[in-house]
Amino acid sequence: MTALKIAKDRTLDIKNMEILSKVHAKNLVKWAKDKPEALVLSADLTSSTEIDLFRDAYPDRFISFGVAEQNMMSFAGGLAREGFIPFVHTFAVFIYRRAYDQIAMCIAYPNLPVRMFGFLPGVTTPGGATHQAIEDTSIMRSLPNMTILECGDATDVESVLDAANAINGPVYIRMLRGEIPRLFDKSEPMILGKARILSRGNDITILSSGICTEEAMRAVEALKKHGVSITHLHISTLKPFNDTAVLEALSANKYGVITMENHSIIGGLGTVAAEEMAEAGIPNKLLRIGIKDTYLHGAGREYLMREYGFDAMALIREIEKIVDTSFDITEDDLRRVRFEPINSDAKAEAL
Amino acid sequence: MKKDINKRIKEAAKGIRRRVLEHTINNNGGYLSQACSSSEILAALYLRIMNLGPVEAPIMPPPFTAVPGPDNPNYTTGAMFNGPKAPHLDRFFLSPSQYSLVLYAALIETGRMHEKGLEQFNRDGSRVEMIGAEHSPGMEIMTGSLGHGLSQAGGIAMARRLKRETGRVWVFMSDGEFQIGQTWEAMQTLSFYKLDNIGIYVDVNGYQCDGKMSKVMNIEPLKKRLESFGAKVFDVDGHDIDALIAPAKLKPAGRPLVVLAYTTPYRGIKILKEKTPKFHYIRFKDEDERRRYEAVLADF
């Protein structure tokens, strides 16, 4: 696994874990300053998608469409054909569910540079089933020409604009808002098509995306103390999926591969990994952690991740099964790791 | 001068009907009623209303190459048939691409497409598709999924205004599209942003796939509804050339322009009336019927 280069400072330094707020809101204003071609399109969720600061800074480049996403998507296609770069902002569900035909024909088919920011993916919404985007990656991934990115921390959110804007074609982004931890060093931006390698080991390979990466980092930290050797990769480019380091990690493990995503296990990261492994002839076992082909209901994020089995503890239970050992790691242990840094015995160097 | 232009438009309209009739007979099927209802609208748009750049000579449609994508930089749309793009020139968008056959005939009649181009219609490997795409002659956006055209053209009109381009954006629509929610979303947006550089001609022929629109899903009173959405609306006889041209001459004044062209789906081909109320796609029921249409063609 010499090709795997551990990210310089991907330390989950619990003690100093930085929590940032309105990361996108501030960053977008700075980023768009010298980009007159960048327009921001809103569908009545301006504050909720953190584009209020952009609206105030550049009112001439902010276009309000009201609650009319289908029209907004087709308009975005028209604007893009004339040389503008529309940055469409709304909740993820209202992008791919509400306006799929318009995205397919007015944006994806003509390969136009429209950047779609899907907020509140999966369980990150305070809303219920109507607001939970649980199959967006699955749907959008099957559109030709579409690139799909997902943010897992503040550094991802800050650098996703450059990553997305380098793409000649449409991009769908599973975006984070509000208070976001910084898991990855600010100096190491998201790089298109490159996974972040957070841990190296020989027993198990974990691929995680979005908010599941923080969960997996907590679990990996706890498991390492029990001698489980884990390779952990954070995936931010879901399509295209052609990072050779990922392919290598899928292959190089004793017990198999686990994917972990805030999304249905059908069509998302788990499916992508399965396709890659099958086509590359990698004969390893694959376990997909995520939303198991079910709708959810409205509740808090931590509650839903626990109830539906895709939090740190769920990962630990699965690994316990795989290695046929019980580590007696409790929810409290994990919570302490995360929330009581003073008592934490998490070793930064272990990551 | 005006007399000459009107005469040319009339001749072109007749030519469009004749070409589509001939095509329908030869292929035992075609979008014939759309030609009957919209020939004057398309001929007037191309010959008088729109300020398009010329083409050097009637263009023979090149074969289909590939769909757009990041690895296809030489991709072209069918916009070349509408002349070069320039800030001061107008642009044309066909919203119901079910009218493609009629548009192709119009391009031939107005000297923009080679008449042999129509022989490629619906042939494998050709751009001259039955329900055209953005690579088809005279087209440059994807519009076969009804209701998408106006919003895309609206985006282009908004972009042209941002770039301070003076050319106008013309959209041809069918009345059936006013049953679609997105059309009304687009109308409210056009008037909210005062996009008066867009002009919409609607072929209100009153029929759709399932039959008479007032029986399938009523859209009237269309003029009142559009006015209440903030548009400047004219309802005209869609076969009267002067009436079609007049609204386009008015100086835009802060509102999107809509011309409701009320038309007859069997105009110019009387025996087509027998098909009432099923006009969407004409097929002949037997050889005798086909011969009767051949006789109409011979008299054209």
Side-chain angles (χ1 to χ4, degrees):
Chain A
M1 301 236 288
T2 48
L4 302 190
K5 179 183 157 291
I6 300 249
K8 191 176 72 195
D9 184 359
R10 69 287 166 270
T11 305
L12 180 61
D13 185 346
I14 305 294
K15 217 174 277 184
N16 299 310
M17 190 162 78
E18 198 187 351
I19 303 284
L20 298 94
S21 68
K22 294 205 86 169
V23 180
H24 181 58
K26 297 169 198 161
N27 186 53
L28 181 63
V29 169
K30 208 162 55 182
W31 183 87
K33 190 170 191 293
D34 56 354
K35 297 180 181 70
E37 71 283 2
L39 306 176
V40 167
L41 278 55
S42 175
D44 196 36
L45 290 169
T46 297
S47 300
S48 307
T49 60
E50 298 196 354
I51 44 179
D52 42 355
L53 299 185
F54 181 98
R55 175 199 59 201
D56 298 342
Y58 317 113
D60 295 343
R61 289 197 273 140
F62 176 85
I63 308 168
S64 165
F65 282 92
V67 193
E69 293 83 3
Q70 300 178 341
N71 177 59
M72 174 168 69
M73 289 302 180
S74 298
F75 250 79
L79 289 161
R81 282 181 189 270
E82 294 299 301
F84 289 98
I85 304 183
F87 287 72
V88 176
H89 285 67
T90 186
F91 293 164
V93 281
F94 303 132
I95 294 177
Y96 74 101
R97 280 191 193 146
R98 176 64 65 97
Y100 182 73
D101 187 16
Q102 287 76 9
I103 294 168
M105 287 298 105
C106 307
I107 294 172
Y109 176 92
N111 192 48
L112 294 169
V114 176
R115 317 327 187 177
M116 287 163 276
F117 290 81
F119 280 78
L120 304 179
V123 295
T124 61
T125 174
T130 55
H131 282 54
Q132 288 162 338
I134 59 170
E135 82 288 19
D136 49 335
T137 303
S138 176
I139 298 288
M140 296 296 265
R141 198 168 76 87
S142 51
L143 283 173
N145 294 334
M146 189 63 69
T147 295
I148 302 180
L149 307 177
E150 179 167 16
C151 295
D153 88 324
T155 301
D156 275 357
V157 168
E158 285 166 351
S159 49
V160 73
L161 294 172
D162 279 330
N165 216 34
I167 294 161
N168 169 21
V171 185
Y172 174 71
I173 299 144
R174 299 191 99 209
M175 196 60 173
L176 298 177
R177 73 166 198 198
E179 298 203 324
I180 311 171
R182 188 183 297 286
L183 305 177
F184 317 123
D185 192 87
K186 200 173 161 54
S187 68
E188 295 186 353
M190 175 194 287
I191 295 173
L192 184 67
K194 290 278 171 218
R196 294 181 190 270
I197 299 158
L198 308 177
S199 165
R200 280 196 303 190
N202 305 319
D203 291 335
I204 290 165
T205 292
I206 298 171
L207 306 188
S208 66
S209 60
I211 60 167
C212 282
T213 290
E214 189 191 336
E215 296 293 319
M217 287 168 90
R218 290 162 59 195
V220 168
E221 183 64 15
L223 287 162
K224 278 190 170 175
K225 283 185 287 178
H226 292 274
V228 186
S229 172
I230 294 171
T231 292
H232 178 200
L233 280 68
H234 169 65
I235 306 293
S236 52
T237 307
L238 289 158
K239 185 190 175 188
F241 199 82
N242 51 16
D243 184 353
T244 51
V246 175
L247 200 63
E248 204 174 323
L250 289 171
S251 158
N253 48 73
K254 187 170 156 197
Y255 292 102
V257 175
I258 300 175
T259 57
M260 196 173 171
E261 58 193 311
N262 171 27
H263 183 276
S264 169
I265 58 167
I266 297 176
L269 178 62
T271 299
V272 178
E275 289 171 359
E276 286 299 309
M277 290 168 73
E279 289 200 335
I282 297 170
N284 293 346
K285 185 158 170 54
L286 170 68
L287 183 86
R288 294 171 297 160
I289 294 178
I291 299 164
K292 292 173 185 64
D293 196 21
T294 177
Y295 288 104
L296 315 176
H297 69 115
R301 160 178 158 176
E302 282 180 35
Y303 166 88
L304 289 171
M305 289 177 96
R306 187 169 65 245
E307 284 299 300
Y308 288 89
F310 57 102
D311 61 355
M313 187 53 80
L315 176 60
I316 287 167
R317 299 258 182 276
E318 293 296 351
I319 289 176
E320 284 177 333
K321 272 188 247 167
I322 290 168
V323 299
D324 197 22
T325 312
S326 176
F327 300 119
D328 294 325
I329 299 168
T330 64
E331 292 265 6
D332 275 352
D333 294 337
L334 288 171
R335 209 168 286 131
R336 265 203 300 279
V337 167
R338 192 178 181 195
F339 298 109
E340 294 179 31
I342 291 166
N343 298 327
S344 168
D345 53 0
K347 293 288 182 289
E349 64 273 18
L351 272 171
Chain B
M1 176 67 186
K2 183 189 141 191
K3 225 177 126 184
D4 291 347
I5 278 279
N6 282 18
K7 194 177 161 220
R8 230 195 120 201
I9 292 169
K10 239 179 224 171
E11 280 168 4
K14 190 176 177 185
I16 293 169
R17 286 193 182 89
R18 186 182 58 74
R19 287 183 191 279
V20 175
L21 174 60
E22 183 179 49
H23 178 92
T24 303
I25 291 166
N26 291 343
N27 293 274
N28 191 29
Y31 294 92
L32 183 56
S33 79
Q34 289 83 349
C36 290
S37 57
S38 70
S39 285
E40 280 80 15
I41 305 169
L42 283 166
L45 277 166
Y46 269 95
L47 294 171
R48 182 68 182 88
I49 295 164
M50 298 194 290
N51 179 27
L52 298 181
V55 296
E56 279 180 25
I59 302 168
M60 182 59 98
F64 175 80
T65 50
V67 294
D71 306 319
N72 184 14
N74 299 321
Y75 171 83
T76 55
T77 71
M80 65 180 94
F81 290 82
N82 293 333
K85 283 183 190 172
H88 69 285
L89 291 174
D90 291 357
R91 302 270 288 278
F92 174 71
F93 301 99
L94 177 72
S95 186
S97 50
Q98 290 74 6
Y99 278 71
S100 294
L101 175 59
V102 192
L103 177 63
Y104 303 148
L107 290 170
I108 294 170
E109 287 296 322
T110 55
R112 292 179 176 273
M113 182 165 112
H114 196 287
E115 64 176 345
K116 288 208 183 315
L118 201 56
E119 291 171 12
Q120 297 176 29
F121 183 88
N122 209 15
R123 294 270 167 84
D124 293 343
S126 155
R127 288 177 186 236
V128 192
E129 294 181 18
M130 183 172 83
I131 294 178
E134 59 173 59
H135 49 254
S136 299
M139 300 177 63
E140 62 170 304
I141 57 174
M142 298 300 283
T143 51
S145 182
L146 294 176
H148 291 189
L150 187 58
S151 301
Q152 291 179 86
I156 288 165
M158 183 180 271
R160 297 195 78 185
R161 189 169 73 180
L162 284 167
K163 293 190 283 184
R164 304 188 194 290
E165 296 188 1
T166 53
R168 296 172 81 175
V169 170
W170 297 101
V171 186
F172 177 97
M173 290 183 71
S174 62
D175 47 2
E177 290 182 279
F178 288 84
Q179 292 170 338
I180 300 169
Q182 189 182 351
T183 298
W184 297 100
E185 292 183 359
M187 285 308 309
Q188 76 182 3
T189 307
L190 297 175
S191 69
F192 181 72
Y193 285 107
K194 300 183 167 50
L195 290 169
D196 61 6
N197 57 346
I198 197 164
I200 303 154
Y201 276 77
V202 189
D203 179 11
V204 191
N205 61 27
Y207 288 85
Q208 60 189 119
C209 225
D210 270 7
K212 199 168 169 58
M213 284 188 69
S214 56
K215 297 263 171 64
V216 178
M217 180 52 65
N218 179 49
I219 58 165
E220 295 289 356
L222 193 50
K223 183 166 187 265
K224 274 190 190 160
R225 293 174 77 184
L226 284 162
E227 281 171 344
S228 74
F229 269 67
K232 179 79 181 160
V233 189
F234 295 87
D235 50 351
V236 304
D237 173 351
H239 304 293
D240 178 337
I241 288 156
D242 284 331
L244 282 167
I245 291 168
K249 286 183 181 165
L250 299 171
K251 195 173 148 47
R255 290 199 278 171
L257 170 72
V258 182
V259 180
L260 299 175
Y262 280 81
T263 61
T264 308
Y266 44 85
R267 175 85 173 198
I269 301 177
K270 283 205 186 81
I271 59 168
L272 192 55
K273 192 178 178 182
E274 296 165 12
K275 296 281 186 190
T276 309
K278 299 286 274 182
F279 289 113
H280 180 69
Y281 188 88
I282 300 303
R283 275 190 193 84
F284 306 119
K285 55 179 189 277
D286 52 31
E287 193 51 35
D288 176 58
E289 187 176 52
R290 182 194 166 102
R291 274 197 288 271
R292 289 170 61 221
Y293 278 84
E294 278 174 347
V296 174
L297 180 62
D299 281 350
F300 233 79

